[in-house]
Amino acid sequence: MIFGENFRIAFRALWANKMRSLLTTLGIVIGVAGVIGVVSIVQGLQHLLTKQFEGLGANFMIVQPRQQFGGPGMVQKPVRLTWDDGLAIRDAVAGIERITPQVFGAAQVKYRDRVHSSFAIGVNQDWPAVNNFAVDRGRFFNKLDLDRRQKVAVLGLDVVDELRLADPLGKEIYLGSVPVTVIGVMEEKGQTLGQNLDDLIFVPFDTALGVFGRSAAEQVQLRLRLEGTDDVDQVREEIRQLLRRRHRLADGDPDDFQIVVQDEILEQTNTLLGAVTLVVAVLVGISLVVGGIGIMNIMLVSVTERTREIGIRKSVGARRQDILVQFLIEAVTLSIVGGAIGLLLGYGAGRLATSLIPGDLPPAHVPLWAIVIAFGFSTVVGVFFGIYPAGKAARLDPIEALRYE
Amino acid sequence: MALIELRAVRKIYEVGSETVRALDGLDLDVERGSYAAVMGASGSGKSTLMNLVGCLDRPTSGHYRLAGTAVEDLGEDELARLRNREIGFVFQTFNLLARTAAVANVELPLIYAGVARRERRERAREALEQVGLGDRMLHQTSELSGGQRQRVAVARALVNNPSILLADEPTGNLDTATSREIMELFDRLHGAGNTVIVVTHEPDIAARTHRQVVLRDGRVVADTESGP
Ligand SMILES: Nc1ncnc2c1ncn2[C@@H]1O[C@H](COP(=O)(O)OP(=O)(O)O)[C@@H](O)[C@H]1O
Ligand SMILES: [Mg+2]
């Protein structure tokens, strides 16, 4: 029997019970919407993080303090990581091209009557090279500026805009209560997760300590660029041993600092995203099964309701396989329609989520494979849960079916 | 060789501890082109017989040859094929699809015969015209009167040019005037060369046919020719 005819019969039957059909597909809708929504967001995140950290290169390294969490009642040791640690690393460990301290925090900037809440970042002259940032106008501060404790600043583009500095170079602005002279403007960088990279004020490390207070000097992040990518592991181990000695850590003590390289950042984000995906996949799997059971249930109801119809069809020559295919197509159509609705909903949810999360997320992206999987899954669910009711319909005895009231 | 040959056919139902012999060693031959009535009291086995002849059911024992083919040897799919190509069945209760246009009901056998859409519609239209419902093609079955519904059922039975037209009390649910219309239809179909077998209680309906077979307790007790 012609396949198209079965589709028509299935559609007509489903259309006759629009509301019921819609409710039945809800499980599939939610399942597929879940897949697509999460895939589109995760893909976007992965894309973004990969791009961001790949740009830093494999010879990029971060050393940062790691808070120790003792058991209940244990006194917490204050963790320290200072620029002295950084200098010690520079002097003792071979293979380091550049190293910069970094302290970071919220700060208010003022120019005349204009005030803007921004973020100050205290670093040394090597920071742009370590982080692949470049100056657009003017210059970054150099070693001389730092040695002489010059009160200078390099602004991100957004700060320039917010303060409406038509010609920023040479202007004196206030960072908190500290007056600084603008000597440069950074290239546009855009946003990253939760942080606008153009809304930054770069000041010399010591100047930043003046703004944030001396205690900030105890919690410094160190950013390094190595000479090559081959001896990353060795450099890292040397830094580790050096810091453990400097921090007087006993043999059993865990590190009170953390060394992160690009590969690990990528790996960690991928692991995290992978875990999120797995959890969601399980939930989605459950909702697909639930949706499938819903379809099976409604198909069993439908077969019973339409026993007479089945009898009529058989009496005029429908074979078992004709009836089987008819009801199977009905089940699969139910789940595929559910899948299609879910696809649209999931895509919509993904777009909504990416537009609500602050930062420069790429637009929700639904890869082709996700669409294929969504439809593949709904078809499989439809066939799997439709085969039993359809088989039941196909096996009905024509005489008994015709007699059914 | 007769078109229909039934030999020592038994159909036995077990209902609880009771055994019902709906057909109990029935012999019957029907020639091609016959016009026959099957009569008998309620419960005498008329419907059971029609269902067997119509390949909707199988005998418990005995032999059934349809145009020389031993039906009891056939599988499900082959029976379905016979129902589709060789048999046109008209039921007392019409058995039309609800919420479906008349023409779609008539098309049903053609769908399972694998006839393409356009030809199907054309042949269904012709069949409906033949039963005088050319102007009711697109009406839902629920919008038709009893007589009209039965005529749709007759059109459906005819549409695939079967060798046998079986009708199980086709006028049982109809008033006298409508019954006469339906019977006139059967007269015409027989006149056009069809083999027609009608189950009926009513002597005047039986009188229109050329042969009266009377059943009692699942057996033929009388078989009279009154043909022209
Ligand atoms: N499916 C069935 N199960 C049990 N008994 C049945 C079944 N079908 C028919 N019978 C019995 O078989 C006998 C013949 O029935 P049927 O052929 O319908 O008679 P008729 O059509 O002549 O009234 C009746 O006694 C009826 O009760
Ligand atoms: Mg009967």
Side-chain angles (χ1 to χ4, degrees):
Chain A
M1 167 165 166
I2 318 120
F3 228 60
E5 202 54 48
N6 271 319
F7 266 111
R8 235 172 314 231
I9 294 170
F11 268 114
R12 210 171 297 144
L14 295 176
W15 194 247
N17 288 301
K18 285 181 277 294
M19 197 59 189
R20 187 168 90 181
S21 306
L22 201 68
L23 291 177
T24 302
T25 61
L26 216 53
I28 305 286
V29 169
I30 291 169
V32 171
V35 180
I36 299 300
V38 168
V39 161
S40 62
I41 295 171
V42 165
Q43 287 276 308
L45 280 181
Q46 202 151 15
H47 178 76
L48 179 86
L49 292 172
T50 306
K51 205 175 72 181
Q52 185 184 340
F53 289 108
E54 261 173 8
L56 291 172
N59 58 346
F60 174 78
M61 194 180 275
I62 291 176
V63 184
Q64 58 195 16
R66 177 159 64 185
Q67 208 64 48
Q68 299 298 319
F69 295 103
M74 278 174 74
V75 179
Q76 212 166 295
K77 256 203 275 179
V79 260
R80 298 180 70 232
L81 189 67
T82 63
W83 179 225
D84 281 345
D85 287 327
L87 292 174
I89 290 169
R90 187 188 65 189
D91 295 341
V93 179
I96 293 169
E97 189 184 292
R98 291 167 202 272
I99 179 166
T100 173
Q102 174 178 312
V103 287
F104 177 84
Q108 245 187 14
V109 275
K110 267 187 297 210
Y111 176 67
R112 293 190 183 154
D113 58 337
R114 291 189 278 280
V115 182
H116 172 52
S117 293
S118 182
F119 295 89
I121 177 165
V123 299
N124 74 11
Q125 74 283 353
D126 284 328
W127 197 92
V130 170
N131 290 278
N132 283 343
F133 271 49
V135 172
D136 181 44
R137 272 175 285 165
R139 61 179 182 88
F140 207 75
F141 34 85
N142 56 31
K143 189 157 182 330
L144 216 60
D145 296 322
L146 281 136
D147 290 347
R148 293 183 181 166
R149 296 170 186 270
Q150 296 282 16
K151 300 276 186 267
V152 293
V154 179
L155 305 185
L157 264 182
D158 287 359
V159 181
V160 175
D161 287 348
E162 289 289 341
L163 296 181
R164 277 173 279 155
L165 293 165
D167 183 17
L169 299 186
K171 293 282 180 334
E172 183 165 276
I173 62 172
Y174 278 87
L175 185 59
S177 57
V178 181
V180 291
T181 306
V182 178
I183 58 167
V185 177
M186 298 302 282
E187 222 173 54
E188 184 169 6
K189 268 296 184 186
Q191 305 217 332
T192 181
L193 276 183
Q195 179 60 54
N196 181 350
L197 295 177
D198 292 327
D199 193 8
L200 293 173
I201 299 139
F202 294 84
V203 290
F205 183 59
D206 278 332
T207 308
L209 294 184
V211 174
F212 296 136
R214 299 309 302 181
S215 63
E218 316 259 288
Q219 301 271 312
V220 173
Q221 190 187 75
L222 305 173
R223 295 187 156 218
L224 296 77
R225 170 103 19 218
L226 310 189
E227 278 162 5
T229 53
D230 299 336
D231 44 5
V232 173
D233 288 341
Q234 194 201 326
V235 169
R236 179 196 181 133
E237 187 55 25
E238 282 179 29
I239 292 174
R240 195 170 93 88
Q241 295 307 338
L242 177 68
L243 288 180
R244 284 186 69 86
R245 255 182 279 118
R246 288 180 56 86
H247 293 185
R248 298 176 207 290
L249 296 178
D251 270 357
D253 290 347
D255 294 345
D256 59 357
F257 53 87
Q258 197 177 11
I259 307 175
V260 194
V261 296
Q262 176 209 258
D263 281 359
E264 279 177 352
I265 297 172
L266 291 179
E267 211 171 288
Q268 277 169 12
T269 45
N270 281 335
T271 310
L272 181 74
L273 293 179
V276 170
T277 308
L278 188 71
V279 169
V280 169
V282 169
L283 293 177
V284 161
I286 292 171
S287 75
L288 283 178
V289 168
V290 171
I293 291 171
I295 285 181
M296 176 144 95
N297 181 41
I298 220 66
M299 289 308 296
L300 284 172
V301 170
S302 176
V303 168
T304 308
E305 279 178 355
R306 287 153 69 195
T307 301
R308 227 179 143 76
E309 174 194 327
I310 295 163
I312 292 171
R313 290 182 183 281
K314 285 202 157 190
S315 75
V316 299
R319 293 162 303 170
R320 282 184 176 191
Q321 73 201 66
D322 294 322
I323 302 295
L324 183 88
V325 169
Q326 177 191 333
F327 281 88
L328 209 50
I329 285 182
E330 202 170 308
V332 171
T333 305
L334 260 182
S335 63
I336 285 187
V337 167
I341 297 174
L343 192 72
L344 292 176
L345 278 185
Y347 181 65
R351 291 195 67 141
L352 192 69
T354 46
S355 69
L356 289 183
I357 294 172
D360 185 23
L361 278 186
H365 173 61
V366 182
L368 187 64
W369 61 261
I371 296 174
V372 171
I373 283 182
F375 279 110
F377 265 126
S378 7
T379 309
V380 168
V381 166
V383 170
F384 187 82
F385 289 98
I387 195 93
Y388 174 70
K392 205 177 151 186
R395 280 191 307 275
L396 283 178
D397 178 75
I399 290 293
E400 276 169 31
L402 281 174
R403 213 178 270 147
Y404 184 84
E405 289 302 327
Chain B
M1 184 185 61
L3 177 61
I4 295 169
E5 285 181 15
L6 294 160
R7 292 287 175 276
V9 166
R10 284 198 164 75
K11 181 70 185 182
I12 295 170
Y13 293 108
E14 308 281 348
V15 183
S17 57
E18 245 179 283
T19 308
V20 179
R21 294 165 178 274
L23 294 179
D24 195 10
L26 177 137
D27 297 307
L28 187 68
D29 282 6
V30 178
E31 300 294 335
R32 198 178 285 277
S34 305
Y35 191 12
V38 176
M39 306 183 68
S42 177
S44 57
K46 306 182 295 294
S47 293
T48 307
L49 172 63
M50 294 299 263
N51 291 342
L52 289 183
V53 172
C55 299
L56 283 165
D57 210 352
R58 294 163 182 276
T60 310
S61 66
H63 301 286
Y64 172 25
R65 278 174 179 278
L66 176 61
T69 309
V71 174
E72 64 267 20
D73 296 339
L74 299 180
E76 284 276 341
D77 283 1
E78 287 154 313
L79 288 182
R81 200 186 153 278
L82 283 180
R83 293 198 288 271
N84 186 239
R85 311 283 163 114
E86 308 296 338
I87 314 282
F89 213 116
V90 178
F91 302 90
Q92 180 175 356
T93 52
F94 318 140
N95 279 337
L96 298 175
L97 292 183
R99 283 178 294 171
T100 305
V103 70
N105 267 288
V106 177
E107 278 183 46
L108 219 49
L110 301 179
I111 289 179
Y112 296 108
V115 176
R117 223 149 103 86
R118 189 168 301 179
E119 189 191 338
R120 220 159 62 203
R121 178 87 3 159
E122 185 54 30
R123 281 169 65 179
R125 197 173 56 78
E126 280 167 19
L128 278 170
E129 277 166 2
Q130 233 181 310
V131 299
L133 284 179
D135 56 341
R136 296 280 195 281
M137 291 225 318
L138 298 177
H139 284 238
Q140 305 278 298
T141 47
S142 55
E143 298 163 3
L144 300 174
S145 70
Q148 289 171 328
R149 289 185 204 189
Q150 195 58 300
R151 282 193 276 164
V152 173
V154 173
R156 180 180 66 189
L158 297 175
V159 74
N160 208 15
N161 299 321
S163 2
I164 312 168
L165 201 63
L166 301 173
D168 190 355
E169 301 195 41
T171 60
N173 286 355
L174 302 178
D175 59 49
T176 323
T178 337
S179 297
R180 190 173 309 118
E181 278 171 32
I182 294 292
M183 287 317 295
E184 277 163 8
L185 199 53
F186 283 128
D187 293 350
R188 268 202 287 127
L189 293 172
H190 168 250
N194 287 296
T195 309
V196 180
I197 305 177
V198 186
V199 172
T200 184
H201 285 299
E202 294 159 60
D204 55 325
I205 287 179
R208 306 176 82 106
T209 66
H210 304 155
R211 180 180 175 191
Q212 291 80 35
V213 179
V214 182
L215 299 191
R216 187 188 302 148
D217 299 333
R219 263 185 260 225
V220 177
V221 291
D223 190 347
T224 50
E225 305 263 346
S226 63

